[in-house]
Amino acid sequence: MAEVITMPRLSDTMTEGKVAKWHKKVGDKVKEGDILAEIETDKAVQDFESEVEGTLLYVGVEEGNAAVVDSVLAIIGKEGEDISGLTGGAAAPSTSEDKKEEPKAEAAAAQEASTEVPAGVEVITMPRLSDTMTEGKVAKWHKNVGDTVKEGDLLAEIETDKAVQDFESEFNGVLLKQGVEEGGAAPVDSVLAIIGPAGTDVSGVGAAKPAAASSEKPAEQKTEAKTEEKAAPVANASSSDRVAISPLAKKMAQDKGVDINAVQGSGENGRIVKKDIENYQPSAKPASSAPAASGAAQVALSFVQGEDTESQNSQVRNIIAKRLSESKFSAPHYYLMVEINMDKAIEARKEINSLPDTKISFNDMIIKATAVALRKHPQVNSSWAGDKIIHRGNINIGVAVAIPDGLVVPVLKNTDQMTYTQISAAVKDMAGRAKNKGLKANEMEGSTFSISNLGMFGIETFTSIINQPNAAILSVGAIIEKPVVKNGQIVVGNIMKLSLACDHRVVDGATGAQFLQTLKTYLESPLTLLL
């Protein structure tokens, strides 16, 4: 029986999707895991792969057109099968008339890019790389006008409100025009670049109108290739070493804590697809050799006696300042502190690290214990939403990582279902890529609870500002040898202080205290995590 494939919701803010490119035509055979089309969402262009096998019988949205989420995208079934009863209610592909209702920013971009675009020329617009991004700044161009560009080549580094991200070309040709100067900014959907055949006249194609370029010289960026929308992230890898993986398989790998570098792909050209992640069996090979998740201080400034200096804020630092201020002044913070005896945790870590190819940190143990404690205290894993409180169905822990521009919070999805080694590998990978500005925006979204650890700097105790929309954040201090009373005797104990900042609108004092009691039990008696 024919299967109706609907326009997928590829992000929580997506209301419609545009078919950027069809990879299958009506009449083509389709296998599970094959790429059907490239769908342009409100955040990025993503591959959409088939989960059924058969023949593509119907295309509900023409290439270049858009349709609302859950409308008919395609129908797959047996060759020659009658689908007239299914196509009757199909959403007609969007027409140019529909596009008149698009947001003003998109309309302006369409106006800039003249309809008289020469044959073979592609107009590339400033991408929306996060749901809060309204404009992007070109931190660095990696291609100059006149350079040959291939699909997958790094065009530029785009600074968003969250991070600096690599932007890669989806087309082959010659870079004919740069719509935004290096160091300049432009709104989302305005002209970023034009690519086409060498010598093509693009003077008639609308020029972008970027914001004035900053007077600051953009910081020198590392040119190692980082991540891409259509390939899974690999720290410090060259373009030829990227891992080809579908978005669905990538998400499953992140949810399961699977190291995609160890997975053998069965799709086109060795591409990793859904079934590869489902059938993956981990080996004893170390999960990651990425740098440890230690903190990184801000870039050191030169001190000159009697001379005041200035440094322009990056967009990352500006947005951090804005959000921390909003959190501190809108959410009524209160703080709970507790001391943890880490003697048994130290012994447990020694035993775990004695296993072959295994090395975990105390931070990994704290993340795991916190995730399991959140299961028993779902109120702490909640968010304030005005007239209601949202109790999150997944436990996604954000781990604060210091970078030269400020602070980013990579997110471990479904942390409570991850093992120590999976947590360790994921934290090392994301922390390493965060410092190299290689994280994607979607890897920093969706947290339900956050952890900040300054113990590696010898800080015994501190408090943090809640990472909205979370209702709490845990601050972790250093493990310090101190005299403690044990069985009536004064002995040396290894003590660690935890501080929990809570949003009083969501988490009452008693609820926060009970959560800390459970976490204390798990850390002081690690075996209870197995119960």
Side-chain angles (χ1 to χ4, degrees), residues 4 6 58 60 68 70-73 75 83-93:
V4 176
T6 59
Y58 177 79
V68 297
D70 295 331
S71 60
V72 177
L73 177 64
I75 299 178
I83 58 170
S84 57
L86 298 175
T87 58

Side-chain angles (χ1 to χ4, degrees), residues 334 336 338 340 366-381 395 397 449-451 472-475 498-502 507-522:
Y334 72 91
L336 301 172
V338 68
I340 310 291
I366 294 165
I367 291 171
K368 176 64 176 179
T370 300
V372 177
L374 287 171
R375 284 185 193 166
K376 295 193 174 183
H377 302 277
Q379 188 71 20
V380 183
N381 196 57
I395 295 173
I397 292 185
F449 186 93
S450 300
I451 295 177
I473 183 170
L474 185 71
S475 304
L498 299 179
S499 172
L500 182 70
C502 300
V507 182
D508 293 333
T511 303
Q514 289 165 0
F515 167 77
L516 278 182
Q517 283 182 334
T518 301
L519 180 57
K520 178 182 173 76
T521 299
Y522 287 153

Side-chain angles (χ1 to χ4, degrees), residues 269-444:
N269 300 318
R271 191 167 181 269
I272 299 172
V273 294
K274 174 185 174 184
K275 63 182 179 181
D276 299 323
I277 301 299
E278 292 177 333
N279 299 330
Y280 174 70
Q281 296 294 329
S283 65
K285 185 180 177 180
S288 173
S289 59
S294 58
Q298 291 177 238
V299 175
L301 299 176
S302 299
F303 175 78
V304 179
Q305 182 69 42
E307 181 179 331
D308 295 341
T309 59
E310 294 181 354
S311 59
Q312 293 293 325
N313 288 339
S314 66
Q315 286 182 279
V316 174
R317 182 160 292 279
N318 281 335
I319 202 68
I320 288 172
K322 179 182 177 182
R323 290 182 178 167
L324 289 178
S325 298
E326 289 174 349
S327 176
K328 185 66 175 179
F329 300 136
S330 65
H333 287 51
Y334 72 91
Y335 305 93
L336 301 172
M337 300 182 186
V338 68
E339 288 190 348
I340 310 291
N341 189 316
M342 294 292 287
D343 289 345
K344 291 185 178 179
I346 291 172
E347 292 301 317
R349 178 173 177 261
K350 285 181 181 177
E351 289 189 31
I352 293 172
N353 286 345
S354 67
L355 299 174
D357 300 322
T358 303
K359 186 175 183 180
I360 67 169
S361 67
F362 290 115
N363 197 51
D364 301 328
M365 299 179 72
I366 294 165
I367 291 171
K368 176 64 176 179
T370 300
V372 177
L374 287 171
R375 284 185 193 166
K376 295 193 174 183
H377 302 277
Q379 188 71 20
V380 183
N381 196 57
S382 304
S383 298
W384 178 259
D387 59 346
K388 59 187 175 184
I389 294 175
I390 301 174
H391 307 290
R392 303 297 181 180
N394 293 320
I395 295 173
N396 302 331
I397 292 185
V399 181
V401 176
I403 61 173
D405 278 339
L407 190 74
V408 293
V409 187
V411 180
L412 304 179
K413 303 295 175 64
N414 297 312
T415 320
D416 57 317
Q417 299 174 26
M418 299 173 71
T419 64
Y420 282 137
T421 53
Q422 288 171 339
I423 290 172
S424 178
V427 170
K428 289 175 182 176
D429 171 53
M430 290 197 292
R433 289 189 291 115
K435 293 166 191 175
N436 293 325
K437 299 183 180 179
L439 282 178
K440 287 293 183 183
N442 59 6
E443 295 180 293
M444 295 180 279

